[in-house]
Amino acid sequence: MDPRLEKINQAAAYVKEILDNEGLAPKIGIVLGSGLGRLSDDIENPVTIPYKNIPGFPVSTAIGHKGNFIVGSLAGKTVIAMQGRLHYYEGYDMDMVVLPIRVMKVLGIEYLFVSNAAGGVNMSFQTGDLMIITDHINQIPNPLIGPNLDEFGPRFPDMTRPYDPRLIAMAEEIGKEMGLNLRKGVYFACTGPTYETPHEYKYMRVVGADAVGMSTTPEVIVARHADIPVFGMSVITDVAHDPEDTDYVTDGEEIVRQADAAATKMIALFKGLIGRL
Ligand code: HPA
């Protein structure tokens, strides 16, 4: 057996045994980005499974991230939330970065919700804005490189609709009802861990990006490979700045604070959407 498959199955079996004992079968996977982890506080009757207890899983280290699966009820549905994701910049190989997504697939999720804190590339964006991700530009190594895992999906997956149009339309409707001023746009994923230089921001704008971050696309690629519909949202935590602005700095702690402030709106939207699935 492919050693990756063995690892996925072993981790999934460990989680499944815990969930079976609790009578939980999650239908929706949620990845919580930097500063957005408190959505898990809204999960009712939560069962917490620390990554460090799961065979083959590492411990997440990024700022604003914990390392747990939280399983329980949200808006009437059973969800499995990742409180903390694994980033390529932490030094994990791509198989590790996407392992939790494949474990959730084996556990039977039918939808994946992804969230992140992102820099605003679009000059009209403001700190605290929420952006529905409509497409992405991936500049992190593709997690599907290597022998294809045929059990999950095809060698050459279609990526014409990486983010589910039906979920996007529903989110826009719910956003209107809630009076949220939602943005829509393209997410540019780079490895980090450096934030962007002024001219990297400019370059991203030229190629059509609206927001930039260091995550999400590996998870989305692997979910789409496995035919899971995806809904993605960026919380804009800092904005592109003029190359002439000599005082500007991008500060990681400030980004987590901004994400936390905007999290309330994002959580309301996720709950509204999940309630309608
Ligand atoms: N760049 C990259 N990643 C980020 C940013 C940014 O400006 N803000 C939050 N995550």
Side-chain angles (χ1 to χ4, degrees), residues 138-183:
N138 180 48
Q139 293 293 312
I140 300 175
N142 194 303
L144 301 181
I145 290 171
N148 185 50
L149 287 173
D150 296 329
E151 294 81 355
F152 284 83
R155 171 74 290 189
F156 299 108
D158 176 43
M159 284 297 276
T160 46
R161 276 172 293 281
Y163 301 86
D164 192 71
R166 177 177 151 260
L167 295 178
I168 292 172
M170 286 169 72
E172 285 189 279
E173 205 177 293
I174 294 164
K176 253 190 221 132
E177 287 168 19
M178 290 182 168
L180 301 174
N181 178 23
L182 296 177
R183 312 282 194 159

mmCIF file of all heavy atoms in Angstrom, residues 138-183:
data_model
loop_
_atom_site.group_PDB
_atom_site.id
_atom_site.type_symbol
_atom_site.label_atom_id
_atom_site.label_comp_id
_atom_site.label_asym_id
_atom_site.label_seq_id
_atom_site.Cartn_x
_atom_site.Cartn_y
_atom_site.Cartn_z
ATOM 1 N N ASN A 138 -2.232 29.543 -7.201
ATOM 2 C CA ASN A 138 -1.430 28.781 -6.244
ATOM 3 C C ASN A 138 0.054 28.878 -6.566
ATOM 4 O O ASN A 138 0.494 28.449 -7.621
ATOM 5 C CB ASN A 138 -1.848 27.307 -6.248
ATOM 6 C CG ASN A 138 -1.025 26.501 -5.264
ATOM 7 O OD1 ASN A 138 -0.858 26.913 -4.111
ATOM 8 N ND2 ASN A 138 -0.482 25.389 -5.702
ATOM 9 N N GLN A 139 0.812 29.424 -5.626
ATOM 10 C CA GLN A 139 2.269 29.484 -5.785
ATOM 11 C C GLN A 139 2.970 28.724 -4.656
ATOM 12 O O GLN A 139 4.151 28.943 -4.379
ATOM 13 C CB GLN A 139 2.739 30.942 -5.840
ATOM 14 C CG GLN A 139 2.259 31.681 -7.079
ATOM 15 C CD GLN A 139 2.872 31.146 -8.359
ATOM 16 O OE1 GLN A 139 4.082 30.962 -8.436
ATOM 17 N NE2 GLN A 139 2.055 30.866 -9.362
ATOM 18 N N ILE A 140 2.207 27.858 -3.978
ATOM 19 C CA ILE A 140 2.784 26.922 -3.004
ATOM 20 C C ILE A 140 2.930 25.609 -3.771
ATOM 21 O O ILE A 140 2.106 25.326 -4.634
ATOM 22 C CB ILE A 140 1.826 26.764 -1.786
ATOM 23 C CG1 ILE A 140 1.610 28.112 -1.089
ATOM 24 C CG2 ILE A 140 2.361 25.734 -0.799
ATOM 25 C CD1 ILE A 140 0.581 28.081 0.056
ATOM 26 N N PRO A 141 3.947 24.778 -3.493
ATOM 27 C CA PRO A 141 4.042 23.522 -4.257
ATOM 28 C C PRO A 141 2.730 22.734 -4.247
ATOM 29 O O PRO A 141 2.048 22.665 -3.220
ATOM 30 C CB PRO A 141 5.160 22.765 -3.525
ATOM 31 C CG PRO A 141 6.029 23.837 -2.965
ATOM 32 C CD PRO A 141 5.089 24.951 -2.579
ATOM 33 N N ASN A 142 2.395 22.177 -5.402
ATOM 34 C CA ASN A 142 1.111 21.476 -5.518
ATOM 35 C C ASN A 142 1.150 20.170 -4.711
ATOM 36 O O ASN A 142 2.055 19.349 -4.893
ATOM 37 C CB ASN A 142 0.826 21.197 -7.002
ATOM 38 C CG ASN A 142 -0.610 20.788 -7.227
ATOM 39 O OD1 ASN A 142 -1.084 19.816 -6.644
ATOM 40 N ND2 ASN A 142 -1.313 21.541 -8.059
ATOM 41 N N PRO A 143 0.176 19.977 -3.816
ATOM 42 C CA PRO A 143 0.202 18.789 -2.946
ATOM 43 C C PRO A 143 -0.071 17.479 -3.695
ATOM 44 O O PRO A 143 0.103 16.408 -3.114
ATOM 45 C CB PRO A 143 -0.918 19.069 -1.940
ATOM 46 C CG PRO A 143 -1.834 20.005 -2.653
ATOM 47 C CD PRO A 143 -0.976 20.847 -3.538
ATOM 48 N N LEU A 144 -0.478 17.572 -4.953
ATOM 49 C CA LEU A 144 -0.779 16.347 -5.725
ATOM 50 C C LEU A 144 0.438 15.843 -6.502
ATOM 51 O O LEU A 144 0.348 14.823 -7.191
ATOM 52 C CB LEU A 144 -1.957 16.588 -6.678
ATOM 53 C CG LEU A 144 -3.267 17.020 -6.014
ATOM 54 C CD1 LEU A 144 -4.361 17.194 -7.057
ATOM 55 C CD2 LEU A 144 -3.710 16.007 -4.958
ATOM 56 N N ILE A 145 1.567 16.560 -6.395
ATOM 57 C CA ILE A 145 2.791 16.099 -7.059
ATOM 58 C C ILE A 145 3.214 14.765 -6.431
ATOM 59 O O ILE A 145 3.162 14.599 -5.213
ATOM 60 C CB ILE A 145 3.923 17.155 -6.924
ATOM 61 C CG1 ILE A 145 3.589 18.393 -7.775
ATOM 62 C CG2 ILE A 145 5.277 16.566 -7.339
ATOM 63 C CD1 ILE A 145 4.522 19.575 -7.561
ATOM 64 N N GLY A 146 3.598 13.824 -7.297
ATOM 65 C CA GLY A 146 3.957 12.480 -6.828
ATOM 66 C C GLY A 146 2.941 11.488 -7.351
ATOM 67 O O GLY A 146 1.975 11.888 -8.019
ATOM 68 N N PRO A 147 3.143 10.196 -7.052
ATOM 69 C CA PRO A 147 2.186 9.192 -7.544
ATOM 70 C C PRO A 147 0.770 9.568 -7.136
ATOM 71 O O PRO A 147 0.552 10.013 -6.001
ATOM 72 C CB PRO A 147 2.639 7.908 -6.838
ATOM 73 C CG PRO A 147 4.071 8.134 -6.472
ATOM 74 C CD PRO A 147 4.216 9.616 -6.235
ATOM 75 N N ASN A 148 -0.173 9.425 -8.058
ATOM 76 C CA ASN A 148 -1.549 9.818 -7.733
ATOM 77 C C ASN A 148 -2.176 8.832 -6.752
ATOM 78 O O ASN A 148 -1.991 7.626 -6.864
ATOM 79 C CB ASN A 148 -2.389 9.867 -9.009
ATOM 80 C CG ASN A 148 -3.786 10.394 -8.736
ATOM 81 O OD1 ASN A 148 -3.943 11.443 -8.102
ATOM 82 N ND2 ASN A 148 -4.803 9.668 -9.183
ATOM 83 N N LEU A 149 -2.926 9.385 -5.783
ATOM 84 C CA LEU A 149 -3.704 8.523 -4.894
ATOM 85 C C LEU A 149 -5.057 8.280 -5.567
ATOM 86 O O LEU A 149 -6.005 9.048 -5.394
ATOM 87 C CB LEU A 149 -3.876 9.186 -3.522
ATOM 88 C CG LEU A 149 -2.635 9.220 -2.627
ATOM 89 C CD1 LEU A 149 -2.879 10.050 -1.367
ATOM 90 C CD2 LEU A 149 -2.197 7.795 -2.237
ATOM 91 N N ASP A 150 -5.119 7.192 -6.369
ATOM 92 C CA ASP A 150 -6.322 6.933 -7.174
ATOM 93 C C ASP A 150 -7.564 6.745 -6.304
ATOM 94 O O ASP A 150 -8.680 6.973 -6.763
ATOM 95 C CB ASP A 150 -6.123 5.663 -8.016
ATOM 96 C CG ASP A 150 -5.000 5.831 -9.030
ATOM 97 O OD1 ASP A 150 -4.784 6.970 -9.505
ATOM 98 O OD2 ASP A 150 -4.331 4.817 -9.346
ATOM 99 N N GLU A 151 -7.358 6.326 -5.048
ATOM 100 C CA GLU A 151 -8.496 6.121 -4.137
ATOM 101 C C GLU A 151 -9.211 7.447 -3.874
ATOM 102 O O GLU A 151 -10.374 7.458 -3.478
ATOM 103 C CB GLU A 151 -8.014 5.572 -2.783
ATOM 104 C CG GLU A 151 -7.413 4.175 -2.844
ATOM 105 C CD GLU A 151 -5.947 4.167 -3.300
ATOM 106 O OE1 GLU A 151 -5.400 5.244 -3.663
ATOM 107 O OE2 GLU A 151 -5.360 3.080 -3.309
ATOM 108 N N PHE A 152 -8.498 8.577 -4.047
ATOM 109 C CA PHE A 152 -9.094 9.873 -3.738
ATOM 110 C C PHE A 152 -9.607 10.589 -4.979
ATOM 111 O O PHE A 152 -10.627 11.267 -4.925
ATOM 112 C CB PHE A 152 -8.077 10.751 -2.994
ATOM 113 C CG PHE A 152 -7.909 10.346 -1.565
ATOM 114 C CD1 PHE A 152 -7.059 9.309 -1.217
ATOM 115 C CD2 PHE A 152 -8.636 10.974 -0.564
ATOM 116 C CE1 PHE A 152 -6.928 8.907 0.106
ATOM 117 C CE2 PHE A 152 -8.511 10.583 0.767
ATOM 118 C CZ PHE A 152 -7.645 9.543 1.102
ATOM 119 N N GLY A 153 -8.879 10.475 -6.093
ATOM 120 C CA GLY A 153 -9.318 11.205 -7.278
ATOM 121 C C GLY A 153 -8.378 10.995 -8.453
ATOM 122 O O GLY A 153 -7.397 10.241 -8.366
ATOM 123 N N PRO A 154 -8.654 11.689 -9.569
ATOM 124 C CA PRO A 154 -7.921 11.466 -10.808
ATOM 125 C C PRO A 154 -6.530 12.113 -10.826
ATOM 126 O O PRO A 154 -6.249 13.021 -10.043
ATOM 127 C CB PRO A 154 -8.819 12.133 -11.856
ATOM 128 C CG PRO A 154 -9.519 13.210 -11.108
ATOM 129 C CD PRO A 154 -9.726 12.691 -9.718
ATOM 130 N N ARG A 155 -5.697 11.651 -11.725
ATOM 131 C CA ARG A 155 -4.344 12.201 -11.895
ATOM 132 C C ARG A 155 -4.364 13.691 -12.221
ATOM 133 O O ARG A 155 -3.582 14.481 -11.714
ATOM 134 C CB ARG A 155 -3.631 11.409 -13.009
ATOM 135 C CG ARG A 155 -2.299 11.962 -13.495
ATOM 136 C CD ARG A 155 -1.138 11.749 -12.532
ATOM 137 N NE ARG A 155 -1.160 12.502 -11.304
ATOM 138 C CZ ARG A 155 -0.143 12.553 -10.436
ATOM 139 N NH1 ARG A 155 0.965 11.902 -10.664
ATOM 140 N NH2 ARG A 155 -0.236 13.249 -9.336
ATOM 141 N N PHE A 156 -5.288 14.074 -13.100
ATOM 142 C CA PHE A 156 -5.325 15.474 -13.565
ATOM 143 C C PHE A 156 -6.686 16.090 -13.220
ATOM 144 O O PHE A 156 -7.573 16.142 -14.064
ATOM 145 C CB PHE A 156 -5.075 15.533 -15.075
ATOM 146 C CG PHE A 156 -3.729 14.992 -15.485
ATOM 147 C CD1 PHE A 156 -3.635 13.764 -16.154
ATOM 148 C CD2 PHE A 156 -2.553 15.682 -15.202
ATOM 149 C CE1 PHE A 156 -2.392 13.260 -16.527
ATOM 150 C CE2 PHE A 156 -1.313 15.180 -15.575
ATOM 151 C CZ PHE A 156 -1.224 13.964 -16.238
ATOM 152 N N PRO A 157 -6.843 16.562 -11.998
ATOM 153 C CA PRO A 157 -8.163 17.059 -11.588
ATOM 154 C C PRO A 157 -8.534 18.380 -12.272
ATOM 155 O O PRO A 157 -7.670 19.239 -12.481
ATOM 156 C CB PRO A 157 -8.026 17.282 -10.086
ATOM 157 C CG PRO A 157 -6.713 16.725 -9.684
ATOM 158 C CD PRO A 157 -5.862 16.635 -10.913
ATOM 159 N N ASP A 158 -9.810 18.509 -12.565
ATOM 160 C CA ASP A 158 -10.353 19.754 -13.110
ATOM 161 C C ASP A 158 -10.302 20.833 -12.030
ATOM 162 O O ASP A 158 -10.619 20.568 -10.872
ATOM 163 C CB ASP A 158 -11.808 19.510 -13.537
ATOM 164 C CG ASP A 158 -12.481 20.778 -14.017
ATOM 165 O OD1 ASP A 158 -11.837 21.546 -14.765
ATOM 166 O OD2 ASP A 158 -13.647 21.022 -13.639
ATOM 167 N N MET A 159 -9.887 22.033 -12.399
ATOM 168 C CA MET A 159 -9.883 23.124 -11.415
ATOM 169 C C MET A 159 -10.603 24.358 -11.970
ATOM 170 O O MET A 159 -10.304 25.485 -11.565
ATOM 171 C CB MET A 159 -8.445 23.481 -11.023
ATOM 172 C CG MET A 159 -7.799 22.476 -10.070
ATOM 173 S SD MET A 159 -8.613 22.343 -8.452
ATOM 174 C CE MET A 159 -7.852 23.708 -7.617
ATOM 175 N N THR A 160 -11.555 24.145 -12.870
ATOM 176 C CA THR A 160 -12.246 25.301 -13.451
ATOM 177 C C THR A 160 -13.190 25.957 -12.444
ATOM 178 O O THR A 160 -13.450 27.156 -12.540
ATOM 179 C CB THR A 160 -13.036 24.922 -14.721
ATOM 180 O OG1 THR A 160 -13.770 23.741 -14.464
ATOM 181 C CG2 THR A 160 -12.107 24.708 -15.901
ATOM 182 N N ARG A 161 -13.684 25.186 -11.471
ATOM 183 C CA ARG A 161 -14.545 25.768 -10.439
ATOM 184 C C ARG A 161 -14.069 25.305 -9.056
ATOM 185 O O ARG A 161 -14.730 24.519 -8.398
ATOM 186 C CB ARG A 161 -16.007 25.385 -10.674
ATOM 187 C CG ARG A 161 -16.703 26.318 -11.675
ATOM 188 C CD ARG A 161 -18.086 25.828 -12.057
ATOM 189 N NE ARG A 161 -18.022 24.587 -12.820
ATOM 190 C CZ ARG A 161 -17.730 24.520 -14.121
ATOM 191 N NH1 ARG A 161 -17.518 25.611 -14.808
ATOM 192 N NH2 ARG A 161 -17.654 23.357 -14.734
ATOM 193 N N PRO A 162 -12.902 25.828 -8.613
ATOM 194 C CA PRO A 162 -12.353 25.350 -7.338
ATOM 195 C C PRO A 162 -13.253 25.675 -6.144
ATOM 196 O O PRO A 162 -13.263 24.941 -5.161
ATOM 197 C CB PRO A 162 -11.011 26.074 -7.233
ATOM 198 C CG PRO A 162 -11.085 27.209 -8.193
ATOM 199 C CD PRO A 162 -12.035 26.817 -9.263
ATOM 200 N N TYR A 163 -13.981 26.780 -6.233
ATOM 201 C CA TYR A 163 -14.884 27.192 -5.143
ATOM 202 C C TYR A 163 -16.306 27.061 -5.670
ATOM 203 O O TYR A 163 -16.621 27.576 -6.750
ATOM 204 C CB TYR A 163 -14.547 28.619 -4.671
ATOM 205 C CG TYR A 163 -13.107 28.670 -4.189
ATOM 206 C CD1 TYR A 163 -12.054 28.899 -5.087
ATOM 207 C CD2 TYR A 163 -12.789 28.407 -2.859
ATOM 208 C CE1 TYR A 163 -10.728 28.874 -4.666
ATOM 209 C CE2 TYR A 163 -11.462 28.386 -2.430
ATOM 210 C CZ TYR A 163 -10.445 28.621 -3.342
ATOM 211 O OH TYR A 163 -9.134 28.579 -2.921
ATOM 212 N N ASP A 164 -17.150 26.374 -4.914
ATOM 213 C CA ASP A 164 -18.451 25.932 -5.404
ATOM 214 C C ASP A 164 -19.394 27.106 -5.710
ATOM 215 O O ASP A 164 -19.743 27.872 -4.803
ATOM 216 C CB ASP A 164 -19.087 25.011 -4.355
ATOM 217 C CG ASP A 164 -20.280 24.290 -4.917
ATOM 218 O OD1 ASP A 164 -20.074 23.401 -5.757
ATOM 219 O OD2 ASP A 164 -21.417 24.640 -4.524
ATOM 220 N N PRO A 165 -19.826 27.242 -6.970
ATOM 221 C CA PRO A 165 -20.679 28.387 -7.345
ATOM 222 C C PRO A 165 -21.994 28.437 -6.568
ATOM 223 O O PRO A 165 -22.467 29.523 -6.232
ATOM 224 C CB PRO A 165 -20.951 28.165 -8.837
ATOM 225 C CG PRO A 165 -19.870 27.254 -9.306
ATOM 226 C CD PRO A 165 -19.502 26.400 -8.134
ATOM 227 N N ARG A 166 -22.558 27.271 -6.250
ATOM 228 C CA ARG A 166 -23.818 27.256 -5.503
ATOM 229 C C ARG A 166 -23.590 27.788 -4.078
ATOM 230 O O ARG A 166 -24.391 28.594 -3.574
ATOM 231 C CB ARG A 166 -24.361 25.822 -5.451
ATOM 232 C CG ARG A 166 -25.616 25.677 -4.648
ATOM 233 C CD ARG A 166 -26.170 24.246 -4.694
ATOM 234 N NE ARG A 166 -26.893 23.960 -3.465
ATOM 235 C CZ ARG A 166 -26.402 23.265 -2.446
ATOM 236 N NH1 ARG A 166 -25.180 22.753 -2.506
ATOM 237 N NH2 ARG A 166 -27.130 23.066 -1.362
ATOM 238 N N LEU A 167 -22.513 27.380 -3.456
ATOM 239 C CA LEU A 167 -22.217 27.859 -2.093
ATOM 240 C C LEU A 167 -21.922 29.356 -2.112
ATOM 241 O O LEU A 167 -22.324 30.091 -1.201
ATOM 242 C CB LEU A 167 -21.045 27.079 -1.489
ATOM 243 C CG LEU A 167 -21.276 25.584 -1.251
ATOM 244 C CD1 LEU A 167 -20.011 24.927 -0.700
ATOM 245 C CD2 LEU A 167 -22.450 25.356 -0.297
ATOM 246 N N ILE A 168 -21.238 29.823 -3.156
ATOM 247 C CA ILE A 168 -20.939 31.257 -3.278
ATOM 248 C C ILE A 168 -22.241 32.048 -3.391
ATOM 249 O O ILE A 168 -22.437 33.055 -2.693
ATOM 250 C CB ILE A 168 -20.024 31.534 -4.493
ATOM 251 C CG1 ILE A 168 -18.632 30.937 -4.248
ATOM 252 C CG2 ILE A 168 -19.928 33.042 -4.779
ATOM 253 C CD1 ILE A 168 -17.692 30.986 -5.455
ATOM 254 N N ALA A 169 -23.151 31.569 -4.232
ATOM 255 C CA ALA A 169 -24.431 32.274 -4.429
ATOM 256 C C ALA A 169 -25.229 32.300 -3.118
ATOM 257 O O ALA A 169 -25.812 33.332 -2.747
ATOM 258 C CB ALA A 169 -25.239 31.592 -5.537
ATOM 259 N N MET A 170 -25.245 31.173 -2.415
ATOM 260 C CA MET A 170 -25.968 31.116 -1.135
ATOM 261 C C MET A 170 -25.349 32.084 -0.125
ATOM 262 O O MET A 170 -26.065 32.784 0.599
ATOM 263 C CB MET A 170 -25.915 29.688 -0.557
ATOM 264 C CG MET A 170 -26.823 28.709 -1.275
ATOM 265 S SD MET A 170 -26.486 26.992 -0.775
ATOM 266 C CE MET A 170 -27.151 26.983 0.881
ATOM 267 N N ALA A 171 -24.018 32.131 -0.081
ATOM 268 C CA ALA A 171 -23.334 33.013 0.872
ATOM 269 C C ALA A 171 -23.639 34.481 0.566
ATOM 270 O O ALA A 171 -23.834 35.289 1.478
ATOM 271 C CB ALA A 171 -21.833 32.765 0.839
ATOM 272 N N GLU A 172 -23.706 34.803 -0.720
ATOM 273 C CA GLU A 172 -24.005 36.197 -1.090
ATOM 274 C C GLU A 172 -25.398 36.583 -0.626
ATOM 275 O O GLU A 172 -25.621 37.689 -0.129
ATOM 276 C CB GLU A 172 -23.895 36.358 -2.605
ATOM 277 C CG GLU A 172 -22.470 36.385 -3.090
ATOM 278 C CD GLU A 172 -22.385 36.774 -4.561
ATOM 279 O OE1 GLU A 172 -22.609 35.892 -5.419
ATOM 280 O OE2 GLU A 172 -22.115 37.955 -4.833
ATOM 281 N N GLU A 173 -26.327 35.646 -0.800
ATOM 282 C CA GLU A 173 -27.705 35.895 -0.382
ATOM 283 C C GLU A 173 -27.776 36.082 1.144
ATOM 284 O O GLU A 173 -28.400 37.034 1.637
ATOM 285 C CB GLU A 173 -28.544 34.684 -0.809
ATOM 286 C CG GLU A 173 -30.010 34.986 -1.004
ATOM 287 C CD GLU A 173 -30.719 33.737 -1.504
ATOM 288 O OE1 GLU A 173 -30.430 33.311 -2.642
ATOM 289 O OE2 GLU A 173 -31.532 33.181 -0.741
ATOM 290 N N ILE A 174 -27.138 35.190 1.859
ATOM 291 C CA ILE A 174 -27.146 35.262 3.330
ATOM 292 C C ILE A 174 -26.441 36.540 3.795
ATOM 293 O O ILE A 174 -26.896 37.216 4.718
ATOM 294 C CB ILE A 174 -26.478 33.999 3.934
ATOM 295 C CG1 ILE A 174 -27.326 32.764 3.632
ATOM 296 C CG2 ILE A 174 -26.275 34.151 5.439
ATOM 297 C CD1 ILE A 174 -26.625 31.441 3.834
ATOM 298 N N GLY A 175 -25.334 36.870 3.128
ATOM 299 C CA GLY A 175 -24.606 38.096 3.458
ATOM 300 C C GLY A 175 -25.505 39.323 3.319
ATOM 301 O O GLY A 175 -25.478 40.228 4.162
ATOM 302 N N LYS A 176 -26.308 39.338 2.243
ATOM 303 C CA LYS A 176 -27.250 40.453 2.028
ATOM 304 C C LYS A 176 -28.272 40.511 3.151
ATOM 305 O O LYS A 176 -28.537 41.574 3.726
ATOM 306 C CB LYS A 176 -27.972 40.266 0.678
ATOM 307 C CG LYS A 176 -27.483 41.239 -0.384
ATOM 308 C CD LYS A 176 -28.364 41.195 -1.624
ATOM 309 C CE LYS A 176 -27.457 41.270 -2.843
ATOM 310 N NZ LYS A 176 -27.760 40.273 -3.868
ATOM 311 N N GLU A 177 -28.846 39.368 3.475
ATOM 312 C CA GLU A 177 -29.841 39.310 4.555
ATOM 313 C C GLU A 177 -29.262 39.806 5.874
ATOM 314 O O GLU A 177 -29.957 40.432 6.665
ATOM 315 C CB GLU A 177 -30.317 37.862 4.754
ATOM 316 C CG GLU A 177 -31.235 37.358 3.650
ATOM 317 C CD GLU A 177 -31.431 35.842 3.726
ATOM 318 O OE1 GLU A 177 -31.179 35.255 4.796
ATOM 319 O OE2 GLU A 177 -31.821 35.260 2.704
ATOM 320 N N MET A 178 -27.988 39.490 6.101
ATOM 321 C CA MET A 178 -27.355 39.874 7.376
ATOM 322 C C MET A 178 -26.800 41.291 7.330
ATOM 323 O O MET A 178 -26.263 41.776 8.327
ATOM 324 C CB MET A 178 -26.202 38.911 7.691
ATOM 325 C CG MET A 178 -26.663 37.530 8.054
ATOM 326 S SD MET A 178 -25.222 36.497 8.458
ATOM 327 C CE MET A 178 -26.040 35.090 9.190
ATOM 328 N N GLY A 179 -26.871 41.923 6.161
ATOM 329 C CA GLY A 179 -26.343 43.274 6.031
ATOM 330 C C GLY A 179 -24.818 43.331 6.043
ATOM 331 O O GLY A 179 -24.231 44.356 6.397
ATOM 332 N N LEU A 180 -24.184 42.223 5.662
ATOM 333 C CA LEU A 180 -22.721 42.208 5.596
ATOM 334 C C LEU A 180 -22.288 42.740 4.240
ATOM 335 O O LEU A 180 -22.880 42.409 3.222
ATOM 336 C CB LEU A 180 -22.183 40.781 5.763
ATOM 337 C CG LEU A 180 -22.528 40.040 7.046
ATOM 338 C CD1 LEU A 180 -22.044 38.595 6.970
ATOM 339 C CD2 LEU A 180 -21.892 40.739 8.245
ATOM 340 N N ASN A 181 -21.254 43.547 4.255
ATOM 341 C CA ASN A 181 -20.746 44.069 2.986
ATOM 342 C C ASN A 181 -19.634 43.134 2.492
ATOM 343 O O ASN A 181 -18.461 43.351 2.747
ATOM 344 C CB ASN A 181 -20.231 45.496 3.225
ATOM 345 C CG ASN A 181 -19.636 46.106 1.976
ATOM 346 O OD1 ASN A 181 -19.967 45.692 0.852
ATOM 347 N ND2 ASN A 181 -18.751 47.058 2.152
ATOM 348 N N LEU A 182 -20.045 42.062 1.802
ATOM 349 C CA LEU A 182 -19.070 41.037 1.409
ATOM 350 C C LEU A 182 -18.343 41.414 0.128
ATOM 351 O O LEU A 182 -18.936 41.917 -0.816
ATOM 352 C CB LEU A 182 -19.783 39.693 1.194
ATOM 353 C CG LEU A 182 -20.445 39.059 2.408
ATOM 354 C CD1 LEU A 182 -21.155 37.766 1.997
ATOM 355 C CD2 LEU A 182 -19.429 38.774 3.512
ATOM 356 N N ARG A 183 -17.054 41.153 0.125
ATOM 357 C CA ARG A 183 -16.260 41.289 -1.103
ATOM 358 C C ARG A 183 -16.155 39.916 -1.747
ATOM 359 O O ARG A 183 -16.367 38.902 -1.089
ATOM 360 C CB ARG A 183 -14.849 41.766 -0.747
ATOM 361 C CG ARG A 183 -14.801 42.938 0.198
ATOM 362 C CD ARG A 183 -15.101 44.217 -0.509
ATOM 363 N NE ARG A 183 -14.746 45.379 0.285
ATOM 364 C CZ ARG A 183 -14.534 46.580 -0.233
ATOM 365 N NH1 ARG A 183 -14.660 46.784 -1.535
ATOM 366 N NH2 ARG A 183 -14.223 47.590 0.541
#
